[in-house]
Coordinates of all heavy atoms in Angstrom, one line a residue:
M1 N 39.4 66.2 -2.4 CA 38.5 67.2 -3.1 C 37.7 66.5 -4.2 O 38.3 65.8 -5.0 CB 39.3 68.4 -3.6 CG 38.4 69.4 -4.3 SD 39.4 70.5 -5.3 CE 39.6 69.5 -6.8
F2 N 36.4 66.7 -4.2 CA 35.6 66.2 -5.4 C 35.4 67.4 -6.3 O 35.0 68.5 -5.9 CB 34.3 65.7 -4.9 CG 33.5 65.1 -6.1 CD1 33.6 63.8 -6.4 CD2 32.6 66.0 -6.8 CE1 32.8 63.3 -7.5 CE2 31.9 65.5 -7.8 CZ 32.0 64.1 -8.2
N3 N 35.7 67.2 -7.6 CA 35.5 68.3 -8.6 C 34.6 67.7 -9.7 O 35.1 66.8 -10.4 CB 36.8 68.8 -9.1 CG 36.6 69.9 -10.1 OD1 35.5 70.1 -10.6 ND2 37.7 70.6 -10.3
S4 N 33.4 68.1 -9.8 CA 32.5 67.6 -10.9 C 32.5 68.5 -12.1 O 31.5 68.6 -12.7 CB 31.1 67.4 -10.3 OG 30.6 68.6 -9.9
Y5 N 33.6 69.1 -12.4 CA 33.6 70.1 -13.5 C 33.2 69.5 -14.8 O 32.9 70.2 -15.7 CB 35.0 70.7 -13.6 CG 36.1 69.8 -14.0 CD1 36.4 69.6 -15.3 CD2 36.9 69.1 -13.0 CE1 37.4 68.8 -15.7 CE2 37.9 68.3 -13.4 CZ 38.2 68.1 -14.7 OH 39.2 67.2 -15.1
L6 N 33.3 68.2 -15.0 CA 32.8 67.6 -16.3 C 31.4 67.8 -16.4 O 30.8 67.9 -17.6 CB 33.2 66.1 -16.3 CG 34.7 65.8 -16.5 CD1 34.9 64.3 -16.5 CD2 35.2 66.4 -17.7
E7 N 30.6 67.9 -15.3 CA 29.2 68.1 -15.4 C 28.8 69.6 -15.1 O 27.9 70.1 -15.7 CB 28.5 67.3 -14.3 CG 28.7 65.8 -14.5 CD 28.0 65.2 -15.7 OE1 27.0 65.8 -16.2 OE2 28.3 64.1 -16.1
N8 N 29.5 70.2 -14.2 CA 29.3 71.6 -13.8 C 30.5 72.1 -13.1 O 31.5 71.4 -13.0 CB 28.0 71.7 -12.9 CG 28.1 70.7 -11.8 OD1 29.0 70.7 -11.0 ND2 27.0 69.9 -11.6
T9 N 30.4 73.3 -12.6 CA 31.6 73.9 -12.0 C 31.7 73.7 -10.5 O 32.6 74.3 -9.8 CB 31.7 75.4 -12.3 OG1 30.5 76.1 -11.7 CG2 31.7 75.7 -13.8
L10 N 30.8 72.9 -9.9 CA 30.8 72.7 -8.4 C 32.1 72.1 -7.9 O 32.5 71.0 -8.4 CB 29.6 71.9 -8.1 CG 29.4 71.6 -6.6 CD1 29.0 72.9 -5.8 CD2 28.3 70.6 -6.4
E11 N 32.7 72.7 -6.9 CA 33.8 72.1 -6.2 C 33.6 72.1 -4.7 O 33.1 73.1 -4.2 CB 35.1 72.9 -6.5 CG 35.5 72.9 -8.0 CD 36.8 73.7 -8.2 OE1 37.5 74.0 -7.2 OE2 37.0 74.1 -9.3
Y12 N 33.9 71.0 -4.1 CA 33.7 70.8 -2.7 C 35.0 70.4 -2.0 O 35.7 69.5 -2.4 CB 32.6 69.7 -2.4 CG 32.4 69.4 -1.0 CD1 32.2 70.4 0.0 CD2 32.2 68.1 -0.6 CE1 32.0 70.1 1.3 CE2 32.0 67.8 0.8 CZ 31.9 68.8 1.7 OH 31.7 68.4 3.0
Y13 N 35.3 71.2 -0.9 CA 36.5 70.9 -0.1 C 36.1 70.5 1.3 O 36.0 71.3 2.2 CB 37.3 72.2 -0.1 CG 37.7 72.7 -1.4 CD1 36.9 73.6 -2.1 CD2 38.9 72.3 -2.0 CE1 37.2 74.0 -3.4 CE2 39.3 72.8 -3.3 CZ 38.4 73.6 -4.0 OH 38.8 74.0 -5.2
P14 N 35.8 69.2 1.5 CA 35.3 68.7 2.8 C 36.3 69.1 4.0 O 35.8 69.2 5.1 CB 35.2 67.2 2.6 CG 36.0 66.9 1.4 CD 36.0 68.1 0.5
E15 N 37.6 69.2 3.7 CA 38.5 69.6 4.8 C 38.2 70.9 5.4 O 38.6 71.2 6.5 CB 39.9 69.5 4.3 CG 40.3 70.5 3.2 CD 40.0 70.0 1.8 OE1 39.2 69.1 1.6 OE2 40.6 70.6 0.9
N16 N 37.5 71.8 4.7 CA 37.1 73.1 5.2 C 35.7 73.1 5.8 O 35.3 74.1 6.4 CB 37.1 74.1 4.0 CG 38.5 74.4 3.5 OD1 39.5 74.0 4.1 ND2 38.5 75.2 2.5
C17 N 35.0 72.0 5.7 CA 33.6 72.0 6.1 C 33.5 71.9 7.7 O 34.2 71.1 8.3 CB 32.9 70.8 5.5 SG 31.2 70.6 6.1
I18 N 32.7 72.8 8.3 CA 32.5 72.8 9.7 C 31.1 72.2 10.1 O 30.7 72.3 11.2 CB 32.7 74.2 10.3 CG1 31.6 75.2 9.7 CG2 34.1 74.7 10.1 CD1 31.6 76.5 10.4
N19 N 30.5 71.5 9.1 CA 29.2 70.8 9.4 C 28.1 71.7 9.9 O 27.3 71.3 10.7 CB 29.5 69.7 10.4 CG 28.8 68.4 10.0 OD1 28.2 68.3 8.9 ND2 28.8 67.4 10.8
C20 N 28.0 72.9 9.4 CA 26.9 73.8 9.8 C 25.6 73.5 9.1 O 24.5 74.0 9.6 CB 27.3 75.3 9.6 SG 27.4 75.7 7.8
H21 N 25.6 72.8 8.0 CA 24.4 72.4 7.3 C 23.7 73.5 6.5 O 22.6 73.3 6.0 CB 23.4 71.7 8.2 CG 23.8 70.4 8.7 ND1 23.0 69.6 9.5 CD2 25.0 69.7 8.6 CE1 23.7 68.5 9.8 NE2 24.9 68.6 9.3
R22 N 24.3 74.7 6.4 CA 23.7 75.8 5.6 C 23.5 75.4 4.2 O 22.5 75.7 3.6 CB 24.5 77.0 5.7 CG 24.4 77.7 7.1 CD 25.1 79.1 7.0 NE 25.3 79.5 8.4 CZ 26.1 80.5 8.6 NH1 26.7 81.2 7.7 NH2 26.3 80.9 9.9
C23 N 24.5 74.7 3.6 CA 24.4 74.3 2.2 C 23.2 73.3 2.0 O 22.5 73.4 1.0 CB 25.7 73.6 1.7 SG 26.2 72.3 2.8
I24 N 23.0 72.4 3.0 CA 21.8 71.5 2.9 C 20.5 72.3 2.9 O 19.6 72.0 2.2 CB 21.8 70.5 4.0 CG1 23.0 69.6 3.9 CG2 20.5 69.7 4.1 CD1 23.2 68.6 5.0
Q25 N 20.5 73.3 3.8 CA 19.3 74.1 3.9 C 18.9 75.0 2.7 O 17.8 75.1 2.3 CB 19.4 75.1 5.1 CG 19.4 74.3 6.5 CD 20.0 75.1 7.6 OE1 20.5 76.2 7.4 NE2 20.1 74.5 8.8
V26 N 19.9 75.5 2.0 CA 19.7 76.4 0.9 C 19.7 75.7 -0.5 O 19.1 76.3 -1.5 CB 20.7 77.6 0.8 CG1 20.6 78.3 2.1 CG2 22.1 77.1 0.6
C27 N 20.2 74.5 -0.6 CA 20.3 73.9 -1.9 C 18.9 73.4 -2.4 O 18.3 72.6 -1.7 CB 21.3 72.7 -1.9 SG 21.4 71.9 -3.5
P28 N 18.5 73.9 -3.6 CA 17.2 73.4 -4.1 C 17.2 72.1 -4.7 O 16.1 71.5 -5.0 CB 16.9 74.5 -5.2 CG 18.2 74.9 -5.7 CD 19.1 74.8 -4.5
H29 N 18.3 71.4 -4.9 CA 18.4 70.1 -5.5 C 19.0 69.0 -4.7 O 19.4 68.0 -5.2 CB 19.1 70.3 -6.9 CG 18.3 70.8 -8.0 ND1 18.4 70.4 -9.3 CD2 17.3 71.7 -7.9 CE1 17.5 71.0 -10.0 NE2 16.8 71.8 -9.2
N30 N 19.1 69.2 -3.4 CA 19.5 68.2 -2.5 C 20.9 67.6 -2.9 O 21.1 66.4 -2.9 CB 18.5 67.0 -2.4 CG 17.2 67.5 -1.9 OD1 17.1 68.3 -0.9 ND2 16.1 67.1 -2.5
V31 N 21.8 68.5 -3.3 CA 23.1 68.1 -3.7 C 23.9 67.6 -2.5 O 24.7 66.6 -2.6 CB 23.8 69.2 -4.4 CG1 25.3 68.9 -4.7 CG2 23.1 69.5 -5.7
F32 N 23.7 68.2 -1.4 CA 24.5 67.8 -0.1 C 23.6 67.1 0.8 O 22.4 67.4 0.9 CB 25.1 69.1 0.5 CG 26.1 69.8 -0.3 CD1 25.8 70.8 -1.1 CD2 27.5 69.4 -0.2 CE1 26.7 71.5 -1.9 CE2 28.4 70.0 -0.9 CZ 28.1 71.1 -1.8
T33 N 24.1 66.2 1.6 CA 23.4 65.5 2.6 C 24.2 65.4 3.9 O 25.5 65.7 3.9 CB 23.0 64.0 2.2 OG1 24.2 63.4 1.8 CG2 22.0 64.0 1.1
E34 N 23.6 65.1 5.0 CA 24.3 65.1 6.3 C 25.4 64.1 6.4 O 25.2 63.0 5.8 CB 23.3 64.9 7.5 CG 22.4 66.1 7.7 CD 21.4 65.9 8.9 OE1 21.8 65.0 9.7 OE2 20.4 66.5 8.9
G35 N 26.4 64.4 7.1 CA 27.5 63.4 7.4 C 28.0 63.6 8.8 O 27.6 64.5 9.5
N36 N 28.9 62.7 9.2 CA 29.4 62.7 10.6 C 30.2 64.0 10.9 O 29.9 64.8 11.8 CB 30.1 61.5 10.9 CG 29.2 60.3 11.0 OD1 28.0 60.4 11.3 ND2 29.7 59.1 10.7
D37 N 31.3 64.1 10.2 CA 32.3 65.2 10.4 C 32.1 66.4 9.5 O 32.4 67.5 9.8 CB 33.7 64.7 10.3 CG 34.0 63.7 11.3 OD1 33.5 63.7 12.4 OD2 34.8 62.7 11.0
H38 N 31.5 66.1 8.3 CA 31.2 67.1 7.3 C 30.1 66.6 6.4 O 29.8 65.4 6.4 CB 32.5 67.4 6.5 CG 33.2 66.2 5.9 ND1 32.7 65.5 4.9 CD2 34.4 65.6 6.3 CE1 33.6 64.5 4.6 NE2 34.5 64.6 5.5
V39 N 29.5 67.5 5.7 CA 28.4 67.1 4.8 C 29.0 66.3 3.7 O 30.2 66.4 3.3 CB 27.6 68.3 4.3 CG1 26.9 69.1 5.4 CG2 28.5 69.3 3.5
K40 N 28.1 65.5 3.1 CA 28.5 64.7 1.9 C 28.0 65.3 0.6 O 26.8 65.7 0.6 CB 27.9 63.3 2.1 CG 28.4 62.5 3.3 CD 27.7 61.1 3.3 CE 27.9 60.5 4.6 NZ 27.0 59.3 4.8
L41 N 28.8 65.2 -0.4 CA 28.4 65.7 -1.7 C 27.8 64.4 -2.4 O 28.5 63.7 -3.0 CB 29.6 66.2 -2.5 CG 29.4 66.7 -3.9 CD1 28.3 67.8 -3.9 CD2 30.7 67.2 -4.4
T42 N 26.5 64.3 -2.3 CA 25.9 63.0 -2.8 C 25.3 63.1 -4.2 O 25.2 62.1 -4.8 CB 24.8 62.6 -1.8 OG1 24.0 63.7 -1.4 CG2 25.4 62.0 -0.5
N43 N 24.9 64.3 -4.6 CA 24.2 64.4 -5.9 C 24.9 65.5 -6.7 O 24.2 66.5 -7.1 CB 22.7 64.7 -5.8 CG 22.0 63.6 -5.0 OD1 22.2 62.4 -5.4 ND2 21.3 63.9 -4.0
P44 N 26.2 65.5 -7.0 CA 26.9 66.6 -7.6 C 26.3 66.9 -9.0 O 26.3 68.1 -9.4 CB 28.3 66.1 -7.7 CG 28.3 64.6 -7.6 CD 27.1 64.3 -6.7
T45 N 25.8 65.9 -9.7 CA 25.4 66.2 -11.1 C 24.0 66.9 -11.1 O 23.5 67.3 -12.1 CB 25.3 64.9 -12.0 OG1 24.5 64.0 -11.3 CG2 26.7 64.3 -12.2
S46 N 23.3 67.0 -9.9 CA 22.0 67.7 -9.8 C 22.2 69.2 -9.7 O 21.2 69.9 -9.7 CB 21.2 67.1 -8.7 OG 20.9 65.8 -8.9
C47 N 23.5 69.6 -9.5 CA 23.7 71.0 -9.2 C 23.4 71.9 -10.4 O 23.8 71.5 -11.6 CB 25.2 71.2 -8.9 SG 25.7 72.9 -8.7
I48 N 22.6 72.9 -10.2 CA 22.3 73.8 -11.3 C 23.1 75.1 -11.3 O 22.7 76.1 -11.9 CB 20.7 74.1 -11.3 CG1 20.3 74.8 -10.0 CG2 19.9 72.9 -11.6 CD1 18.9 75.4 -10.0
E49 N 24.1 75.2 -10.4 CA 25.0 76.3 -10.4 C 24.3 77.6 -10.0 O 24.6 78.7 -10.5 CB 25.8 76.5 -11.7 CG 26.6 75.2 -12.0 CD 27.3 75.4 -13.4 OE1 26.6 75.8 -14.4 OE2 28.5 75.0 -13.5
C50 N 23.4 77.5 -9.0 CA 22.7 78.7 -8.6 C 23.6 79.5 -7.6 O 23.4 80.7 -7.5 CB 21.4 78.3 -7.9 SG 21.6 77.5 -6.2
G51 N 24.5 78.9 -7.0 CA 25.5 79.6 -6.1 C 25.1 79.8 -4.7 O 25.9 80.3 -3.9
A52 N 23.9 79.3 -4.3 CA 23.4 79.6 -3.0 C 24.3 78.9 -1.9 O 24.5 79.5 -0.8 CB 22.0 79.1 -2.8
C53 N 24.8 77.7 -2.2 CA 25.6 77.0 -1.2 C 26.9 77.8 -0.9 O 27.3 78.0 0.3 CB 25.8 75.6 -1.6 SG 26.6 75.5 -3.2
A54 N 27.6 78.2 -1.9 CA 28.8 78.8 -1.8 C 28.7 80.2 -1.1 O 29.5 80.6 -0.3 CB 29.5 79.0 -3.2
Q55 N 27.6 80.9 -1.4 CA 27.3 82.2 -0.8 C 27.1 82.1 0.7 O 27.4 82.9 1.5 CB 26.1 82.9 -1.5 CG 26.4 83.6 -2.7 CD 25.3 84.4 -3.3 OE1 24.2 84.3 -2.8 NE2 25.5 85.2 -4.3
N56 N 26.5 80.9 1.1 CA 26.1 80.8 2.5 C 27.1 80.0 3.3 O 27.0 79.8 4.5 CB 24.7 80.1 2.6 CG 23.6 81.1 2.3 OD1 23.2 81.8 3.1 ND2 23.2 81.0 1.0
C57 N 28.1 79.4 2.6 CA 29.1 78.6 3.4 C 30.1 79.6 4.1 O 30.7 80.4 3.5 CB 29.9 77.8 2.4 SG 31.2 76.8 3.2
P58 N 30.2 79.4 5.4 CA 31.0 80.3 6.2 C 32.5 80.0 6.2 O 33.3 80.8 6.7 CB 30.5 80.1 7.6 CG 30.0 78.7 7.7 CD 29.5 78.4 6.3
N59 N 32.9 78.9 5.5 CA 34.3 78.5 5.6 C 34.9 78.1 4.3 O 35.9 77.4 4.2 CB 34.5 77.4 6.6 CG 35.8 77.4 7.3 OD1 36.3 78.5 7.6 ND2 36.4 76.2 7.6
E60 N 34.4 78.7 3.2 CA 34.9 78.5 1.8 C 35.1 77.0 1.5 O 36.2 76.6 0.9 CB 36.2 79.3 1.7 CG 36.0 80.8 1.8 CD 37.2 81.6 1.5 OE1 38.3 81.0 1.3 OE2 37.1 82.8 1.4
A61 N 34.2 76.2 1.9 CA 34.3 74.8 1.6 C 33.6 74.4 0.2 O 33.8 73.3 -0.3 CB 33.6 73.9 2.7
I62 N 33.0 75.4 -0.4 CA 32.3 75.2 -1.7 C 32.7 76.3 -2.6 O 32.7 77.5 -2.3 CB 30.8 75.2 -1.5 CG1 30.4 74.1 -0.5 CG2 30.1 74.8 -2.9 CD1 28.9 74.2 -0.1
K63 N 32.9 75.9 -3.9 CA 33.1 76.9 -4.9 C 32.2 76.5 -6.1 O 32.2 75.3 -6.4 CB 34.6 77.0 -5.4 CG 35.5 77.6 -4.4 CD 36.9 77.7 -4.9 CE 37.8 78.3 -3.9 NZ 39.2 78.2 -4.3
V64 N 31.6 77.5 -6.7 CA 30.8 77.2 -7.9 C 30.7 78.5 -8.8 O 30.7 79.6 -8.2 CB 29.4 76.7 -7.6 CG1 28.6 77.7 -6.8 CG2 28.7 76.2 -8.8
E65 N 30.8 78.3 -10.1 CA 30.7 79.5 -10.9 C 29.2 79.7 -11.2 O 28.6 79.1 -12.1 CB 31.4 79.2 -12.3 CG 32.9 79.5 -12.2 CD 33.5 79.4 -13.6 OE1 32.9 79.9 -14.6 OE2 34.5 78.7 -13.7
A66 N 28.6 80.6 -10.4 CA 27.2 80.9 -10.6 C 27.0 81.9 -11.7 O 27.9 82.7 -12.0 CB 26.6 81.4 -9.3
G67 N 25.9 81.8 -12.4 CA 25.6 82.8 -13.4 C 26.1 82.5 -14.8 O 26.2 83.3 -15.7
V68 N 26.4 81.2 -15.0 CA 26.8 80.7 -16.3 C 26.1 79.4 -16.7 O 25.5 78.8 -15.8 CB 28.4 80.4 -16.4 CG1 29.2 81.7 -16.2 CG2 28.7 79.3 -15.4
G69 N 26.1 79.1 -17.9 CA 25.5 77.8 -18.3 C 24.0 77.8 -18.6 O 23.4 78.8 -18.5
C70 N 23.5 76.6 -18.8 CA 22.1 76.4 -19.1 C 21.2 76.9 -18.0 O 20.2 77.6 -18.3 CB 21.8 74.9 -19.4 SG 22.9 74.1 -20.6
A71 N 21.4 76.5 -16.8 CA 20.5 76.9 -15.7 C 20.4 78.4 -15.6 O 19.3 78.9 -15.5 CB 21.0 76.4 -14.4
W72 N 21.5 79.1 -15.8 CA 21.4 80.6 -15.7 C 20.7 81.2 -16.9 O 19.9 82.1 -16.7 CB 22.8 81.2 -15.6 CG 22.8 82.7 -15.4 CD1 23.2 83.6 -16.3 CD2 22.2 83.4 -14.3 NE1 22.9 84.8 -15.8 CE2 22.3 84.7 -14.6 CE3 21.6 83.0 -13.1 CZ2 21.9 85.7 -13.7 CZ3 21.2 84.0 -12.2 CH2 21.3 85.3 -12.5
A73 N 20.9 80.6 -18.0 CA 20.2 81.1 -19.2 C 18.7 80.9 -19.0 O 17.9 81.8 -19.4 CB 20.7 80.3 -20.5
M74 N 18.2 79.8 -18.4 CA 16.8 79.6 -18.2 C 16.3 80.6 -17.2 O 15.2 81.1 -17.4 CB 16.6 78.1 -17.7 CG 16.8 77.1 -18.8 SD 16.5 75.4 -18.1 CE 17.6 74.5 -19.1
I75 N 17.0 80.8 -16.1 CA 16.6 81.7 -15.1 C 16.5 83.1 -15.7 O 15.5 83.9 -15.5 CB 17.6 81.7 -13.9 CG1 17.5 80.4 -13.2 CG2 17.3 82.9 -13.0 CD1 18.6 80.1 -12.2
R76 N 17.5 83.5 -16.5 CA 17.5 84.8 -17.1 C 16.3 85.0 -18.0 O 15.6 86.0 -18.0 CB 18.8 85.0 -17.9 CG 19.1 86.5 -18.3 CD 20.5 86.6 -18.8 NE 20.8 85.7 -19.8 CZ 21.9 85.0 -19.9 NH1 22.8 85.1 -19.0 NH2 22.2 84.1 -20.9
A77 N 16.0 84.0 -18.8 CA 14.8 84.0 -19.7 C 13.5 84.1 -18.9 O 12.6 84.9 -19.3 CB 14.8 82.8 -20.6
A78 N 13.4 83.4 -17.8 CA 12.2 83.4 -17.0 C 12.1 84.8 -16.4 O 10.9 85.4 -16.3 CB 12.3 82.4 -15.9
L79 N 13.2 85.4 -16.0 CA 13.1 86.8 -15.4 C 12.6 87.8 -16.4 O 11.9 88.8 -16.1 CB 14.4 87.2 -14.8 CG 14.9 86.4 -13.5 CD1 16.3 86.8 -13.2 CD2 13.9 86.7 -12.4
K80 N 13.0 87.6 -17.6 CA 12.6 88.5 -18.7 C 11.2 88.2 -19.2 O 10.7 88.9 -20.1 CB 13.6 88.4 -19.9 CG 15.0 89.0 -19.6 CD 15.8 88.8 -20.8 CE 17.3 89.2 -20.6 NZ 18.1 88.8 -21.7
G81 N 10.7 87.0 -18.8 CA 9.3 86.6 -19.3 C 9.4 86.1 -20.7 O 8.4 86.3 -21.5
K82 N 10.5 85.6 -21.2 CA 10.7 85.2 -22.6 C 11.1 83.7 -22.6 O 11.6 83.2 -21.6 CB 11.7 86.0 -23.3 CG 11.4 87.4 -23.4 CD 12.3 88.1 -24.5 CE 13.6 88.5 -24.0 NZ 14.4 89.2 -24.9
E83 N 10.9 83.1 -23.7 CA 11.5 81.7 -24.0 C 13.0 81.9 -24.1 O 13.5 82.9 -24.6 CB 10.9 81.1 -25.3 CG 9.4 80.8 -25.2 CD 9.1 79.6 -24.3 OE1 9.9 78.7 -24.3 OE2 8.1 79.7 -23.5
M84 N 13.7 80.9 -23.7 CA 15.1 80.9 -23.9 C 15.5 80.7 -25.3 O 15.0 79.8 -26.0 CB 15.8 79.8 -23.1 CG 17.2 79.9 -23.0 SD 17.9 78.7 -21.8 CE 18.6 77.5 -23.0
D85 N 16.3 81.6 -25.9 CA 16.8 81.4 -27.3 C 17.7 80.2 -27.3 O 18.5 80.0 -26.5 CB 17.5 82.7 -27.7 CG 16.6 83.9 -27.8 OD1 15.4 83.7 -28.0 OD2 17.1 85.0 -27.6
S86 N 17.5 79.4 -28.4 CA 18.4 78.3 -28.6 C 19.8 78.7 -28.6 O 20.2 79.6 -29.4 CB 18.0 77.5 -29.8 OG 18.9 76.4 -30.1
G87 N 20.7 78.1 -27.8 CA 22.1 78.4 -27.9 C 22.5 79.6 -27.1 O 23.6 79.9 -27.0
E88 N 21.5 80.2 -26.4 CA 21.8 81.4 -25.6 C 22.9 81.1 -24.5 O 23.7 82.0 -24.2 CB 20.6 81.9 -24.9 CG 20.8 83.2 -24.2 CD 19.5 83.8 -23.6 OE1 18.4 83.3 -23.9 OE2 19.6 84.8 -22.9
C89 N 22.9 79.9 -24.0 CA 23.8 79.6 -22.9 C 25.1 79.1 -23.5 O 26.1 78.9 -22.7 CB 23.2 78.5 -22.0 SG 22.8 77.0 -23.0
G90 N 25.2 78.8 -24.8 CA 26.4 78.4 -25.4 C 26.7 77.0 -25.4 O 27.8 76.5 -25.7
C91 N 25.7 76.2 -25.0 CA 26.0 74.7 -24.8 C 25.9 74.0 -26.2 O 26.2 72.8 -26.2 CB 25.1 74.1 -23.8 SG 23.4 73.9 -24.4
D92 N 25.5 74.6 -27.2 CA 25.3 73.9 -28.5 C 26.4 74.3 -29.5 O 26.2 74.1 -30.7 CB 23.9 74.1 -29.1 CG 23.7 75.6 -29.6 OD1 24.5 76.4 -29.1 OD2 22.8 75.8 -30.3
D93 N 27.5 74.7 -29.0 CA 28.6 75.1 -29.9 C 29.0 73.9 -30.8 O 29.4 74.1 -31.9 CB 29.8 75.6 -29.1 CG 29.5 77.0 -28.5 OD1 28.5 77.6 -28.9 OD2 30.3 77.4 -27.6
D94 N 28.8 72.7 -30.3 CA 29.2 71.5 -31.1 C 28.0 70.9 -31.7 O 28.0 69.8 -32.2 CB 29.9 70.5 -30.2 CG 29.1 70.0 -29.0 OD1 27.9 70.5 -28.9 OD2 29.5 69.1 -28.3
G95 N 26.9 71.6 -31.7 CA 25.6 71.1 -32.4 C 24.8 70.2 -31.5 O 23.8 69.6 -31.9
K96 N 25.3 70.0 -30.2 CA 24.5 69.1 -29.3 C 24.1 69.9 -28.1 O 24.7 69.8 -27.0 CB 25.5 68.0 -28.9 CG 25.9 67.1 -30.0 CD 26.9 66.0 -29.5 CE 27.5 65.3 -30.6 NZ 28.6 64.5 -30.1
S97 N 23.0 70.6 -28.2 CA 22.5 71.4 -27.1 C 22.0 70.4 -26.0 O 21.4 69.4 -26.3 CB 21.3 72.2 -27.6 OG 20.7 72.9 -26.5
C98 N 22.2 70.8 -24.7 CA 21.8 70.0 -23.6 C 20.6 70.6 -22.9 O 20.1 70.1 -21.9 CB 22.9 69.8 -22.6 SG 23.5 71.3 -21.8
C99 N 20.0 71.6 -23.4 CA 18.9 72.2 -22.8 C 17.8 72.6 -23.8 O 18.0 72.3 -25.0 CB 19.3 73.5 -22.0 SG 20.1 74.7 -23.0
Ligands
LIG1 S1 27.8 75.5 4.3 FE1 30.0 75.0 4.1 S2 30.8 74.6 6.2 FE2 28.5 74.5 6.3 S3 28.0 72.3 6.0 FE3 28.0 73.2 4.0 S4 30.1 72.9 3.2 FE4 30.2 72.6 5.4
LIG2 S1 25.1 75.8 -6.6 FE1 22.9 75.7 -6.0 S2 22.2 73.7 -6.9 FE2 24.4 73.7 -6.8 S3 25.0 72.6 -4.9 FE3 24.9 74.9 -4.6 S4 22.9 75.4 -3.8 FE4 22.8 73.3 -4.8

């Protein structure tokens, strides 16, 4: 199992993958690529935690906490038609904002 929780909450369980390629089709950041027996997690740090892959995976091979963090704060601000407030996502608790 690859767990890139240091960068985001994406978790991939290749042993559950049935190689249907839905995650490749729905991911906006090309995080997954084709493989022989199962897809490969090639760009885990590009994941913005949108949740599309996990929602479309038919065999629970992907888990991700969608709706949290910087990406979600930006999406929420865009939906409201406002600029994102500094620290809204909580990433600058240590004074080092990443967004
Ligand atoms: S959607 Fe799930 S089962 Fe399908 S290829 Fe991706 S990880 Fe594998
Ligand atoms: S959560 Fe979104 S960005 Fe991250 S791997 Fe899944 S589809 Fe791609």
Side-chain angles (χ1 to χ4, degrees):
M1 179 196 81
F2 181 92
N3 183 344
S4 63
Y5 65 89
L6 289 178
E7 301 286 344
N8 51 53
T9 61
L10 181 66
E11 295 179 19
Y12 175 44
Y13 302 86
E15 65 273 20
N16 290 352
C17 176
I18 59 170
N19 223 9
C20 69
H21 290 185
R22 286 191 199 165
C23 53
I24 294 174
Q25 292 159 358
V26 300
C27 179
H29 278 215
N30 301 316
V31 171
F32 293 93
T33 53
E34 290 184 21
N36 289 333
D37 299 324
H38 51 73
V39 294
K40 297 179 196 166
L41 181 58
T42 45
N43 300 307
T45 57
S46 295
C47 174
I48 59 168
E49 300 177 313
C50 70
C53 56
Q55 278 188 351
N56 285 279
C57 179
N59 211 35
E60 300 186 349
I62 305 169
K63 289 183 183 171
V64 63
E65 277 185 51
V68 297
C70 304
W72 183 248
M74 289 179 209
I75 292 168
R76 193 168 53 227
L79 289 173
K80 289 179 187 170
K82 294 197 279 187
E83 292 291 319
M84 191 173 105
D85 294 333
S86 177
E88 184 176 351
C89 60
C91 74
D92 69 342
D93 289 346
D94 59 358
K96 296 178 190 168
S97 173
C98 63
C99 58

